[in-house]
Amino acid sequence: MDLQQDPEAPRRLLRELFDAAVLAAQPEHCVPPWLPEDDGGPLLVLGAGKAAAAMARAVEAHWSGPLSGLVVTRYGHGLPTRHIEVVEAAHPVPDEAGERAARRILELARAAGPGDRVLCLISGGGSSLLSLPAEGVSLACKQTLTGELLRCGAAINEINTVRKHLSAIKGGRLAEALAPAESHTLVISDVPGDDPSVIASGPTVPDASTSAQALAVLERYGIEIPLAVRRHLEDPASETPKPGAPCFQSTRLNCIATPALSLRAAARRARERGVAAAVLSDRIEGEARDLGALHAELAHQARRGGGFGGLRLPLVLLSGGETTVTVTGKGRGGRNAEFLLGAALNLDDVPGIHALACDTDGIDGTEDNAGALYYPGLMAEARARQLDGRQALADHDAYGFFQALNGLVVTGPTHTNVNDFRAFLILG
């Protein structure tokens, strides 16, 4: 691959690295090694998340005994299955389809007995998809609060602290319903730090957060709290099952795919192509545009210094995590496109630096793209077309900006989710 002479080669390499990261987290590869011992007996499968349908298919391909169950995934992320029912629902703001599916999953869990084996398949997106509100809290109320939390720039752990304390199934309550049946949870992580109590709001794991903390999150961001929500969160009965609760004695959990694993896969692919690779972190959080500018400055420094951390050029800087966007404009955004626009404004066509920022689930926020690509000359092309990058950033219209320049990365649903993937290729 001639990165210096072939103008398309850097973009092909960046896309290849992204594809390698996604492939490493595909359920067909990461589910089978972690399945419970197959004794030919029946298995009940319950699950939720953007990867839930693909995880269910992987179970069906590798389990010899009778299978039944239900998983819920995002609209457009379903796959055909033979024994495990797949339902589609809304994400990131929940809907009635998710509520109905969550109610059915809870009913199946409560029907499980002491001799039954249950496999729970959990991945990112499950917080919205398992949208069964706690008693006294309406779905409309949860929809409003979810939308406001997403717009205000709250971190994922803060959002999920609220979600689990307003839920009848998340925050360990699914495990509570399953007990005393034997349950085994397989998790694909989409959160910085891989905390299973945050992934899909931890339906089968103990919850150390409190209702008081959930209330504090809403107050911190100035979100109007409906009376029914305040009453619920101030009621001691609203507390989630805590570490050490008896319902967790018959549960097991394995985290089978993580952002770090996918970043390492991308780094290996880069080295195979003769490019040095440095993984900055798999858990970077913060405002998307600011982090984009910071990553661009690191790329500038690597280019000026001829390398980074003892590695020489050509070099790729990789990072993951979950950025946030505090929405004030009315454009079409997505946190990865906004991250990359923040970086592009800082790079401003400096030679030898290319970049990609994408969500590994194939959907950047609520749009139809996974993310976007930047290359030297893009900002000059934008100016020639009278596109104002700074105004687009102010309007949170990074999608529109990159769309006009044919810079969007469109993959469709990838059927997995290990969060954001970012790569800066520095050639010199």
Side-chain angles (χ1 to χ4, degrees):
M1 185 177 289
D2 192 338
L3 295 172
Q4 296 289 358
Q5 299 302 318
D6 181 353
E8 296 297 320
R11 278 174 268 184
R12 288 200 303 270
L13 176 60
L14 287 171
R15 179 58 190 269
E16 187 178 344
L17 300 186
F18 174 61
D19 291 344
V22 170
L23 183 63
Q26 281 298 320
E28 63 186 285
H29 302 305
C30 60
V31 166
W34 296 99
L35 289 174
E37 182 181 354
D38 186 355
D39 59 2
L43 184 67
L44 173 65
V45 178
L46 307 174
K50 296 174 186 175
M55 295 175 83
R57 288 232 313 191
V59 174
E60 289 190 342
H62 293 273
W63 189 263
S64 64
L67 281 171
S68 63
L70 170 65
V71 301
V72 56
T73 192
R74 180 178 173 157
Y75 290 122
H77 291 240
L79 292 168
T81 51
R82 292 174 290 117
H83 307 291
I84 303 164
E85 183 181 354
V86 175
V87 172
E88 295 185 347
H91 177 279
V93 178
D95 70 354
E96 292 81 1
E99 181 181 26
R100 289 192 297 269
R103 191 179 304 279
R104 289 178 59 199
I105 286 172
L106 196 61
E107 289 169 355
L108 288 168
R110 287 172 174 159
D116 294 325
R117 287 208 292 176
V118 184
L119 180 65
C120 297
L121 307 175
I122 302 299
S123 58
S127 292
S128 298
L129 297 164
L130 283 175
S131 55
L132 184 60
E135 187 174 353
V137 178
S138 69
L139 177 63
C141 186
K142 287 196 72 173
Q143 289 170 325
T144 299
L145 291 178
T146 299
E148 292 185 16
L149 285 165
L150 290 168
R151 286 189 292 272
C152 76
I156 187 62
N157 64 315
E158 294 176 313
I159 295 172
N160 285 0
T161 294
V162 175
R163 282 167 159 166
K164 66 180 68 172
H165 284 92
L166 297 179
S167 173
I169 192 169
K170 297 190 283 284
R173 289 193 172 97
L174 180 57
E176 201 170 43
L178 283 167
E182 176 190 335
S183 65
H184 185 185
T185 299
L186 303 183
V187 174
I188 293 179
S189 172
D190 72 325
V191 302
D194 307 323
D195 182 348
S197 72
V198 179
I199 303 163
S201 297
T204 63
V205 296
D207 176 37
S209 71
T210 66
S211 296
Q213 289 172 331
L215 196 60
V217 169
L218 295 172
E219 292 172 340
R220 183 179 310 130
Y221 290 100
I223 295 172
E224 184 177 350
I225 305 171
L227 181 59
V229 169
R230 185 175 290 278
R231 284 176 174 168
H232 176 75
L233 293 178
E234 290 177 348
D235 183 352
S238 72
E239 270 307 340
T240 47
K242 302 304 176 192
C247 64
F248 300 112
Q249 291 179 359
S250 57
T251 65
R252 287 195 298 143
L253 181 141
N254 293 106
C255 196
I256 63 173
T258 66
L261 180 149
S262 286
L263 288 170
R264 288 197 297 270
R268 285 194 301 271
R269 182 61 55 85
R271 294 174 190 128
E272 290 168 1
R273 296 291 181 260
V275 176
V279 176
L280 301 175
S281 173
D282 67 328
R283 55 178 68 188
I284 294 175
E285 298 179 86
E287 193 70 26
R289 64 182 64 193
D290 298 335
L291 288 171
L294 176 61
H295 279 63
E297 185 54 37
L298 290 175
H300 273 303
Q301 292 177 16
R303 179 177 177 271
R304 288 193 295 265
F308 179 89
L311 300 173
R312 308 306 298 169
L313 304 183
L315 164 72
V316 64
L317 300 178
L318 302 168
S319 72
E322 182 165 0
T323 64
T324 53
V325 175
T326 304
V327 179
T328 55
K330 296 182 179 179
R332 299 175 68 185
R335 64 179 185 259
N336 285 283
E338 179 145 330
F339 169 95
L340 200 62
L341 183 50
L345 290 167
N346 185 294
L347 293 170
D348 198 21
D349 290 339
V350 62
I353 300 178
H354 302 249
L356 173 147
C358 288
D359 196 319
T360 54
D361 67 6
I363 306 295
D364 190 18
T366 58
E367 302 298 341
D368 58 1
N369 64 313
L373 273 162
Y374 164 84
Y375 52 88
L378 181 135
M379 300 308 291
E381 185 179 345
R383 287 188 285 270
R385 297 190 183 192
Q386 298 185 321
L387 297 172
D388 187 336
R390 295 194 184 279
Q391 187 59 50
L393 196 59
D395 292 339
H396 299 287
D397 192 26
Y399 179 99
F401 180 84
F402 285 108
Q403 182 185 44
L405 297 166
N406 199 30
L408 296 177
V409 176
V410 179
T411 64
T414 64
H415 304 289
T416 191
N417 183 18
V418 286
N419 226 315
D420 298 340
F421 174 88
R422 301 176 285 264
F424 284 72
L425 176 62
I426 305 113
L427 304 178

